[in-house]
Amino acid sequence: VQLQASGGGLVQAGGSLRLSCAASGGTFSSYSVAWFRQAPGKEREFVAAFTYGGGRSKLYSESVKGRFTISRANAGNTVYLQTNSLKPEDTAVYYCAVGRPPFGRWTEVESWTNWGQGTLVTVSS
């Protein structure tokens, strides 16, 4: 499965963007999907995940909980990240990833096997 992230851009603080992660060569139907982000000079960090194994659930980092929402298209080949109430500290390159992480290890970068190329989100104050 190849991933293509899009939807980033420049937005003022308090604004919104919807990021998309499209799969080609397959679907997300039997995989978990996640969004991570990496700010300049910082390590890549977990943002949100949609787990497809067992009981399907949505996970969020504490820093975005209540502001970001992960969802998927019914066709199963696109996952979205709706970002609301954006803050300057949300500025980063956002990456989508797909894989089958071990249970409880969805927030670890090493758990994800396939990554998209990233889309830049810049939030101005």
Side-chain angles (χ1 to χ4, degrees), residues 19-23 27-28 33 52 71-80:
L19 308 184
S20 299
C21 178
T27 70
F28 296 128
V33 184
Y52 278 67
S71 63
R72 68 179 179 99
N74 289 334
N77 59 353
T78 304
V79 171
Y80 303 102

Side-chain angles (χ1 to χ4, degrees), residues 12-111:
Q12 289 187 331
S16 300
L17 287 172
R18 189 175 80 158
L19 308 184
S20 299
C21 178
S24 60
T27 70
F28 296 128
S29 60
S30 60
Y31 295 93
S32 297
V33 184
W35 286 94
F36 284 74
R37 65 186 181 186
Q38 188 165 17
K42 295 187 177 181
E43 295 185 349
R44 194 167 297 189
E45 65 173 2
F46 172 80
V47 175
F50 201 122
T51 62
Y52 278 67
R56 298 182 180 183
S57 62
K58 300 179 183 180
L59 307 172
Y60 298 96
S61 69
E62 287 300 319
S63 63
V64 307
K65 194 175 292 184
R67 299 188 298 123
F68 291 10
T69 302
I70 190 170
S71 63
R72 68 179 179 99
N74 289 334
N77 59 353
T78 304
V79 171
Y80 303 102
L81 184 69
Q82 178 66 41
T83 66
N84 297 330
S85 302
L86 284 163
K87 305 174 182 180
E89 51 264 43
D90 294 318
T91 294
V93 177
Y94 284 71
Y95 298 90
C96 59
V98 67
R100 293 171 176 162
F103 183 83
R105 299 185 63 180
W106 300 287
T107 64
E108 300 176 18
V109 171
E110 300 76 22
S111 296

